[in-house]
Amino acid sequence: MFTEYNKLPNNSRVWVYQADRVFTTEEVAHISSKAIEFIEQWTRHGDNLKGSFTIKYNQFLVIAVDESFNNVSGCSIDASVRFIQQLENELKIDLMDKMNVSFKDGDNINIVKLADFQQFAKAQKITSETIVFNNMVQTKGEVESSWEVPASQSWHNRFLA
C-alpha cells in the first residue's frame, strides 16, 4: 500500500540504494512509476505493507516501510531486492554495489570504490569535514539526521588520517 514518503513515521525502516551514476529525468519518472507499482502490491505473507520511496539527488533511491503497520519479512525483503534488480536490468545501472562510497566535493556527488576512498583519505583529499552519505542508516528519521554527514560522524571516519 503506497503512501507519501513524508507521511511515513520517522521510525519507518529504510533501505538506501545508490546508483553508480545520476538518473536522467526519464529514468526518475520510470523509477517513480515502477516504485509506486511495486509498493502497491508489496505484501508480507499476504498482508499489505505500508511503504513509500524517495529519490534524492537523482542518484539515491530510498525505499521505506512503516513497520508499525506491518513488519517486513524475509520474503518481503527478497521481493524488494528483486524489484531493485529489475530496475538495474531495465536501466543498466548498479544500485547494490556496497563497495561504492559516495561523498560530496562542493556541489558534486562523487561515487568511488572503497579502495579509492581510502586512498583519498590517506592523501587527505577527504577530511573529517568532507560530507559523506551513510547508506547504512536504518530509519527514515536517520535519513534526515544521519545520512548526509561529515565523515567524522559516520563509519567512514575509520579511514581518516
Side-chain angles (χ1 to χ4, degrees):
M1 175 171 61
F2 177 78
T3 191
E4 294 295 323
Y5 182 81
N6 60 3
K7 293 188 176 161
L8 288 176
N10 280 339
N11 65 347
S12 295
R13 188 169 174 185
V14 297
W15 294 267
V16 178
Y17 297 96
Q18 71 182 4
D20 57 349
R21 62 172 174 76
V22 174
F23 304 133
T24 66
T25 303
E26 295 79 15
E27 287 171 334
V28 169
H30 179 79
I31 292 166
S32 298
S33 171
K34 291 291 190 176
I36 291 169
E37 184 180 305
F38 167 72
I39 293 166
E40 277 294 337
Q41 57 80 37
W42 198 14
T43 61
R44 181 205 66 155
H45 302 297
D47 295 327
N48 285 334
L49 293 172
K50 185 176 180 182
S52 195
F53 75 97
T54 188
I55 296 172
K56 296 191 174 277
Y57 296 108
N58 288 339
Q59 199 158 354
F60 299 88
L61 172 60
V62 180
I63 304 288
V65 67
D66 178 359
E67 288 196 298
S68 66
F69 183 79
N70 268 324
N71 286 330
V72 294
S73 66
C75 293
S76 52
I77 293 170
D78 289 349
S80 69
V81 169
R82 284 191 301 276
F83 165 67
I84 295 299
Q85 290 170 329
Q86 177 187 358
L87 286 177
E88 286 182 318
N89 289 333
E90 291 171 359
L91 301 176
K92 307 294 185 243
I93 57 176
D94 187 343
L95 292 164
M96 297 200 319
D97 188 344
K98 300 297 183 202
M99 295 307 288
N100 287 339
V101 178
S102 50
F103 64 94
K104 279 188 171 178
D105 178 15
D107 288 335
N108 297 321
I109 296 174
N110 296 300
I111 293 188
V112 298
K113 294 292 180 196
L114 180 59
D116 293 331
F117 183 87
Q118 290 171 300
Q119 290 302 315
F120 291 159
K122 188 181 278 188
Q124 296 185 341
K125 293 178 182 175
I126 291 175
T127 69
S128 62
E129 298 305 311
T130 300
I131 301 298
V132 296
F133 295 90
N134 177 9
N135 296 326
M136 305 296 285
V137 293
Q138 300 286 308
T139 67
K140 179 185 169 210
E142 288 177 356
V143 169
E144 305 307 317
S145 66
S146 307
W147 174 60
E148 190 175 338
V149 294
S152 62
Q153 297 175 24
S154 178
W155 63 267
H156 301 80
N157 68 1
R158 72 183 83 171
F159 303 115
L160 301 175

